[in-house]
Amino acid sequence: MAALEIPKFLAESYDYTEYVEALNWIGGEWVAGSTGETLDVVNPRYAKSISRVEMSNADDVQAAVEAANAAFPAWKALPMRERAQVMYRLKYIMERDLEELTWLVSHENGKTYDEAKAEVLKAIECTEFGCSLPNMAAGGQLDVSRGVNCRQVYEPVGVCAGVTPFNFPLMVPMWMLPQALVAGNTFILKPSEQVPLSAIKLAEMLKEAGLPDGVFNVVNGGKAVVEALCDNEGIDAFGFVGSTYVAKLVYGRAAATGKRALALGGAKNHLIIVPDADPAVTVDNVVASFTGCAGQRCMAASVLVAVGNVDKLIEQIAEKAKQIKVGEGLGAITNEQSVTRIRRYIDEAEQSGAKIIVDGRNTTQGEGYWVGPTIIDHASKDMPSAREEIFGPVITIVRVNDLDEAIDFENSNPYGNASAVYTTNGEVARYVVDRVEAGMVGVNVGVPVPREPFGFGGWNDSKFGHGNITGWDGYRFWTRPRKITSKWANQKDWNWMS
Ligand code: NAD
């Protein structure tokens, strides 16, 4: 077993702090990629490099597949309870290192301390789900006829791969790992090249938790690595979380080799607000939903569908948004291209006649990448800001006359990740919940993330493939059911149907 090698991340505040280069973790060794190319890992708060990441290729993927394949038989042969012990120890390590992990997530991603801490806590909750699997995964059995028994067990599929986005460097990998590993698979993670540092820390934590070498591997890089993971016939299952454009591409490419695939994509989440909405619940919740993580989350509110006259609520939402202190209550934007994209959406809306009632376009802080909270009001339904994913702290208000018009507008959007309604009327809530085209729906909840054991996953262009990535569905995705039919007595007088 290789010794632990990744040093502690020393930051204890937002102060600029460098960290070690993100190498590849293959078969229990830290190794450089075979291209010799690296990319800067930038802290968006300062627009300054804190590390470098290997930009690997298909050869590195092949090395990881071989390591994962070699580790598979022994890992699979362990009783599930023993595999789950690694998750118990990982949970302890993450709790012990909570502060360090929080600052690491904050520095590599740009989100605030509180948001980073919430992310680490959510990653711990995912780990707990892995701990609970042996108590849930007993499968089923039945005497299907006299003397004949059928039982169903869920077996690992083999070598699995996961590709993750920049916005949750620790949590999204932990959406996949607990279920995949406790089920008995081995795994190759390709984190976003923008945020590879939590992933290398994860490798180190799993090592400390006692995971055998080769069971978990990290291959760093970008598109070339993802394409190699899709194409490699030694990989049996492929999970992806990222933008819709890439999700659609990789879903088709991975499935073309016969591996199972699940690819979660982008979003355009609608919040429907009706006049009877409770301001005490609605105002804070809407603002938190569109500004949390600087709007860089797939569950962020992006369109506010105002039904009838809700002007008072909109005024309060605008006031609340203006009070947010950029840098303290609002984190940085991931990179310069994203800042340009977000500003372009706001400019376009303004040029097409919408009103910018809260304007974060000119927000700056040192050299970092920032956009302040922004509210676009009186947008038309066909404006790009009302239809496309902006992925920034921006909400676009579209005004409609009644609930059916609100639902029709939401359902005309190709995405289907999340939607929410704010009301004090149960009938209105039920009417919306039953009709919106979204996989995750909130009632007075602006970020309706289903917590374990429920599964996370949208509909339509927000997801390609069947099922959800977390919870029980996640376990089903990383396993295949085996059905065993047994007959032990020599029952000459019974046939199998009797
Ligand atoms: P992205 O699609 O640009 O990148 C995601 C991953 O794909 C990264 O690891 C990246 O290296 C890789 N990649 C990028 N371009 C590729 C290409 N052309 N071919 C193959 N691989 C490629 O996404 P991002 O910018 O990192 O993350 C933001 C997006 O992720 C948003 O659209 C957001 O809504 C979405 N997201 C969705 C969920 C969900 O659960 N549905 C969760 C988090 C983020």
Side-chain angles (χ1 to χ4, degrees), residues 124-408:
I124 292 172
E125 188 172 291
C126 295
T127 312
E128 287 167 0
F129 187 68
C131 297
S132 70
L133 278 173
N135 297 316
M136 297 170 64
Q141 65 80 32
L142 186 72
D143 282 347
V144 287
S145 62
R146 272 172 286 171
V148 179
N149 179 271
C150 252
R151 73 185 171 97
Q152 176 158 304
V153 293
Y154 291 93
E155 301 214 346
V157 291
V159 177
C160 301
V163 174
T164 52
F166 81 83
N167 61 334
F168 284 94
L170 186 66
M171 182 190 80
V172 173
M174 290 308 291
W175 279 1
M176 305 180 190
L177 280 179
Q179 289 91 324
L181 294 184
V182 175
N185 299 288
T186 55
F187 204 93
I188 303 166
L189 174 67
K190 204 300 282 178
S192 165
E193 61 274 41
Q194 289 174 249
V195 293
L197 305 177
S198 298
I200 60 169
K201 199 75 191 173
L202 191 53
E204 195 80 348
M205 290 190 292
L206 282 164
K207 173 91 199 166
E208 187 185 347
L211 191 74
D213 291 343
V215 174
F216 176 64
N217 307 274
V218 181
V219 179
N220 279 303
K223 185 178 173 196
V225 175
V226 180
E227 289 180 348
L229 290 169
C230 291
D231 296 346
N232 195 302
E233 299 206 345
I235 294 173
D236 302 289
F238 176 86
F240 174 90
V241 179
S243 62
T244 287
Y245 171 75
V246 182
K248 202 170 182 175
L249 274 179
V250 298
Y251 175 73
R253 191 159 176 160
T257 64
K259 56 176 72 74
R260 65 177 63 182
L262 181 60
L264 275 64
K268 189 74 181 169
N269 304 316
H270 295 61
L271 303 185
I272 298 175
I273 300 200
V274 301
D276 70 31
D278 178 358
V281 172
T282 309
V283 174
D284 287 4
N285 208 270
V286 170
V287 174
S289 179
F290 86 88
T291 63
C293 297
Q296 299 171 114
R297 49 183 175 178
C298 67
M299 295 297 278
S302 185
V303 184
L304 193 162
V305 192
V307 181
N309 186 349
V310 292
D311 286 356
K312 274 256 159 328
L313 278 164
I314 290 173
E315 273 168 34
Q316 291 175 50
I317 288 167
E319 275 318 303
K320 180 94 195 165
K322 283 178 192 161
Q323 286 161 18
I324 292 177
K325 285 207 169 68
V326 174
E328 287 173 37
L330 186 90
I333 301 298
T334 186
N335 54 31
E336 197 167 6
Q337 298 92 292
S338 295
V339 171
T340 307
R341 183 194 64 237
I342 296 164
R343 286 188 184 145
R344 193 188 64 230
Y345 275 110
I346 306 168
D347 290 345
E348 275 174 5
E350 190 175 42
Q351 283 151 18
S352 310
K355 287 200 172 66
I356 314 302
I357 59 172
V358 181
D359 191 347
R361 277 175 291 189
N362 295 321
T363 304
T364 52
Q365 250 187 37
E367 300 297 310
Y369 308 128
W370 303 94
V371 176
T374 299
I375 301 180
I376 302 170
D377 197 2
H378 295 286
S380 63
K381 289 177 187 163
D382 56 356
M383 281 180 187
S385 72
R387 297 202 62 79
E388 296 168 15
E389 183 175 46
I390 301 176
F391 225 54
V394 181
I395 197 161
T396 303
I397 303 177
V398 173
R399 289 159 184 271
V400 298
N401 293 316
D402 56 37
L403 214 46
D404 285 326
E405 191 184 347
I407 293 166
D408 285 349

